[in-house]
Amino acid sequence: VPEYTWTVWVKPKTQFVRGYLLRKRPIVSGYGSDLSCWGIYLDKDSGPEVRFAGHEFFALVPPGETITEKEITVGLNRSAPVPLEEMFLLTITITPTEVTFYRNLDMLGSSPLPLAITDCFNNDEGVLMGSPGLEMASLRFYPYTLTRTGIEEIYVSGGLLSDLSRGTAPPEREQSETAALFNF
């Protein structure tokens, strides 16, 4: 998907400092497990970031050598401190050339993408959600960039009016046969 949007309601607690809201890691444990194929990161002082390409760098490192650049971080060009103990809507739109960050209805800013965000294979280990001191609700992926009107509809009504009027919801995710075995 060349353009897409993530929305999530977030409430950082007083003890929150920084952490991922959502992260797909290239490897589950050991060296490289702290990297992100792609992820949404939040820092209480600097604001939201998109971190990605951990698999691009990790795969190129010869055994026994260390890497200086582990992944790419795209954030705001200015500080956007996160309000603690307050629920807000975080929206991140991603195009092939830039990332735009919104808090509630306010556009915090846009930053260029140095390269396209790609996915990685992580052996069906899934995606990690949340960090200590962070409450999240209504995380949703849209396979297109939301307009300001769409963001306002989610902020005011809890969803896009087109979804509400049709009585639709996000499509159900199909499970792999392996994952379905663990449904009890």
Side-chain angles (χ1 to χ4, degrees), residues 94-114:
I94 300 173
T95 70
T97 58
E98 73 177 3
V99 178
T100 304
F101 302 94
Y102 297 85
R103 182 170 51 224
N104 295 330
L105 300 176
D106 300 322
M107 185 175 89
L108 299 174
S110 295
S111 295
L113 275 177

Side-chain angles (χ1 to χ4, degrees), residues 78-151:
R78 62 177 181 83
S79 181
V82 173
L84 301 177
E85 297 295 335
E86 180 182 313
M87 183 72 77
F88 62 89
L89 177 65
L90 177 64
T91 304
I92 300 174
T93 63
I94 300 173
T95 70
T97 58
E98 73 177 3
V99 178
T100 304
F101 302 94
Y102 297 85
R103 182 170 51 224
N104 295 330
L105 300 176
D106 300 322
M107 185 175 89
L108 299 174
S110 295
S111 295
L113 275 177
L115 62 98
I117 297 175
T118 60
D119 203 357
C120 68
F121 175 76
N122 72 351
N123 204 21
D124 264 351
E125 292 296 332
V127 174
L128 301 175
M129 293 178 56
S131 289
L134 192 62
E135 289 182 20
M136 298 184 340
S138 299
L139 173 69
R140 184 159 175 195
F141 171 83
Y142 296 87
Y144 50 86
T145 54
L146 285 176
T147 63
R148 284 182 177 269
T149 301
I151 295 168

Side-chain angles (χ1 to χ4, degrees), residues 41-90:
Y41 192 83
L42 192 61
D43 183 287
K44 76 171 189 162
D45 296 320
S46 59
E49 300 171 347
V50 173
R51 294 184 174 191
F52 64 101
H55 58 294
E56 307 283 355
F57 295 104
F58 183 72
L60 301 175
V61 179
E65 291 188 25
T66 57
I67 51 178
T68 55
E69 186 171 15
K70 293 185 174 188
E71 62 189 2
I72 296 172
T73 299
V74 175
L76 295 165
N77 296 328
R78 62 177 181 83
S79 181
V82 173
L84 301 177
E85 297 295 335
E86 180 182 313
M87 183 72 77
F88 62 89
L89 177 65
L90 177 64

